[in-house]
Amino acid sequence: MALFGLRGFFESSPILQGEGLYMRAPEMRDHSQWVAQRAASRDFLTPWEPDWQEDELSRSSFRRRLQRQAEDIARDETYPFFIFELQTQVLMGGITLGQVRRGIAQAGTIGYWMAKDHANKGHMTRAVRALVDYGFSRLRLHRIEAACLPHNLASMRLLERNGFRKEGLARSYLRINGQWQDHVLYGLLDGDPR
């Protein structure tokens, strides 16, 4: 995986485990599974995500995505993972701990997606739990944040199951599905019960 200087992180990337799943950094060999899951789940994901680019699912777009992620990882800013079912090794979704801020903040923000056929089965709850543990124990963060649309009740319940507390509302926070939309803000501190 020497292409674009991606070798270092991907050869030594951590594998995180949760009940019935594991997570590791995305690699080029994941492209076909990623395309299949994202394409089959497009209508399901559209209300919760930024607009897709015209070439969103192309191999070259995926390669550029990996390159950007490798650069962000090298700067200690982003830690992306794909979520796989442990027994079948099927790609189910993705989760990222990004916007890592060091110094006096020691904080990061999580974002996630789950393919339609794997949603609402508890997989993301376990993935968030594993990523939170990684963020606090390995990355030594003090705070992990998340944001979700006010009408995304499933995401709010998911965060609350993992100990996140609702902290407020950010008006026109992110451009989702072509519109600037309000988001409910959540936070979890390393000392909070989980």
Side-chain angles (χ1 to χ4, degrees):
M1 182 63 104
L3 182 64
F4 298 117
L6 300 178
R7 174 168 293 202
F9 177 74
F10 291 112
E11 285 182 352
S12 62
S13 67
I15 294 181
L16 309 181
Q17 293 206 355
E19 299 169 39
L21 59 85
Y22 71 94
M23 304 182 311
R24 65 161 170 76
E27 299 178 11
M28 275 310 297
R29 65 182 168 142
D30 301 321
H31 179 255
S32 60
Q33 271 201 84
W34 180 79
V35 166
Q37 293 290 22
R38 297 285 294 173
S41 302
R42 186 170 188 160
D43 291 340
F44 174 72
L45 296 171
T46 294
W48 318 114
E49 294 190 347
D51 288 338
W52 290 20
Q53 302 299 315
E54 283 186 36
D55 70 339
E56 185 80 19
L57 301 179
S58 72
R59 192 167 185 78
S60 60
S61 177
F62 189 75
R63 184 176 287 115
R64 286 191 304 274
R65 179 187 307 265
L66 294 184
Q67 175 62 32
R68 279 191 313 273
Q69 289 173 347
E71 292 165 0
D72 290 345
I73 291 161
R75 289 190 303 265
D76 185 34
E77 294 176 353
T78 299
Y79 296 88
F81 295 92
F82 277 168
I83 304 164
F84 296 89
E85 209 250 336
L86 189 59
Q87 290 185 349
T88 64
Q89 298 188 23
V90 168
L91 174 64
M92 299 187 293
I95 188 166
T96 299
L97 179 53
Q99 299 174 12
V100 173
R101 299 171 310 282
R102 295 298 185 177
I104 62 172
Q106 296 300 321
T109 302
I110 62 169
Y112 43 81
W113 66 273
M114 184 62 67
K116 182 180 179 181
D117 290 345
H118 301 284
N120 301 312
K121 297 180 180 176
H123 302 303
M124 191 57 76
T125 297
R126 294 186 297 274
V128 167
R129 187 176 307 130
L131 188 63
V132 162
D133 289 344
Y134 176 74
F136 288 141
S137 65
R138 297 282 302 279
L139 298 179
R140 300 197 183 279
L141 297 178
H142 170 68
R143 175 181 174 81
I144 298 177
E145 302 164 339
C148 58
L149 295 166
H151 57 278
N152 190 343
L153 299 179
S155 192
M156 284 191 251
R157 285 192 300 268
L158 161 79
L159 293 169
E160 290 166 2
R161 273 193 302 275
N162 277 289
F164 283 80
R165 294 184 191 172
K166 192 181 299 186
E167 296 184 333
L169 180 75
R171 297 176 303 124
S172 292
Y173 187 62
L174 297 173
R175 188 169 173 84
I176 301 296
N177 195 18
Q179 300 176 23
W180 288 103
Q181 297 196 42
D182 297 347
H183 279 67
V184 179
L185 304 178
Y186 281 86
L188 180 66
L189 304 179
D190 62 352
D192 286 345
R194 301 194 296 274

